[in-house]
Each structure stands twice: as C-alpha cells, then as structure tokens.
Amino acid sequence: MKLNKKEIAELLPHREPMLLIDELINIVHLKSATAIVNVRKNSFFVQGHFPGQPVMPGVFIVEAFGQAAAALTAHSVNPKEIENKLVYLMSVDKARFRSPVIPDCELHLEIKAVRTHGRVWKYKGLAIVNGTEAAEAEWAATVVDRTK
C-alpha cells in the first residue's frame, strides 16, 4: 500500500510549499509507514540555509515526521472520525540530529505509532538518507475540531 502526494494532500490540510511528504509507503494501518521527502536544491527550506552548503533544517525534518504521522493516522481511521478535524503537534522529545540532510537526496522517514489515548497519539521516527541515520525523534499529537 502506498500513497502519492495528491492522495496525501487529500488527507492533510497542508499545501505547497508546506506539504513536505512526497509519498507514503509500507503502510501498516495504525502502526507504521515510511514517508519519502525529495529534498532538492530548489526546495524552499534550503534556500538560504546555508548559501553554498545547503542543508534541510532540523525543524523541517521534525515537521515532516509530524506530517507523515498525521497522514498515516488519517489514512488508517474511518474518514468520519477525522472529518472537520486537524492534527496538532503537542510535544517533541528525544530529537537527535546525527547527519545533515543535503540536497539532492531522498529522505526516508520510518515512523511508528507508539500508543494512543483518546485524542492523543504518540509516535517515534527515524530519518534515513542512503542508509545513514540522519535524525530521530519522538513526538505527540492531538486531534482537534477544525474551527471555521
């Protein structure tokens, strides 16, 4: 099972340029998935970070983790459960950045749902480029009603 960018956009409220996830693969409903982010020299988040030596900022790796988890969750539950809902990041723990993510590359985000308690979900993830661990984190998110 896999989702392309268009299918991911149907699950998430994010739009360009903030929709970071290009593909979601290896989906195991409510448990895990791998997100793919194509990091390019012209990606908005590397422009000016750093000129002459562009890298993907760590905060965008964490954002991509969150988007991947939200897409996994939205894809896995009954659509009626997430209708008119948003997923907000609540906390980030144990974030470690081990190796810079340098364009042009394919960033793989291996995410796992650790547990859920009501509207709060906990996840952990590992970011990998060409077999090298680039980052890892644990985070929590909550599902809230969308305000008009």
Side-chain angles (χ1 to χ4, degrees):
M1 165 81 45
K2 70 182 199 174
L3 302 174
N4 62 32
K5 193 159 191 148
K6 182 179 181 233
E7 292 165 321
I8 293 165
E10 291 172 8
L11 297 171
L12 301 179
H14 303 78
R15 293 296 173 258
E16 295 295 341
M18 279 305 296
L19 180 57
L20 303 176
I21 306 301
D22 292 298
E23 206 172 351
L24 196 66
I25 62 173
N26 304 328
I27 301 167
V28 178
H29 287 279
L30 295 175
K31 292 187 180 186
S32 63
T34 300
I36 297 174
V37 179
N38 294 309
V39 181
R40 302 287 173 241
K41 287 180 183 165
N42 65 346
S43 296
F44 80 95
F45 48 80
V46 298
Q47 300 298 308
H49 193 269
F50 302 100
Q53 271 188 289
V55 298
M56 182 176 187
V59 69
F60 281 95
I61 296 170
V62 172
E63 172 64 22
F65 275 143
Q67 288 183 21
L72 168 64
T73 303
H75 178 69
S76 299
V77 300
N78 181 329
K80 291 285 184 195
E81 288 183 46
I82 59 164
E83 192 173 65
N84 296 314
K85 307 279 189 212
L86 291 173
V87 178
Y88 283 132
L89 189 64
M90 293 176 60
S91 67
V92 177
D93 298 307
K94 300 180 184 175
R96 302 285 182 265
F97 303 95
R98 310 228 180 265
S99 178
V101 176
I102 300 168
D104 287 297
C105 73
E106 190 172 89
L107 175 64
H108 288 236
L109 305 172
E110 297 177 356
I111 59 161
K112 290 186 170 93
V114 177
R115 67 184 173 97
T116 180
H117 183 71
R119 292 180 169 223
V120 177
W121 292 72
K122 294 211 174 202
Y123 304 89
K124 65 180 178 178
L126 181 63
I128 300 169
V129 176
N130 295 326
T132 300
E133 292 182 12
E136 62 186 279
E138 296 179 9
W139 64 97
T142 186
V143 179
V144 299
D145 291 329
R146 182 187 294 258
T147 57
K148 296 188 181 192

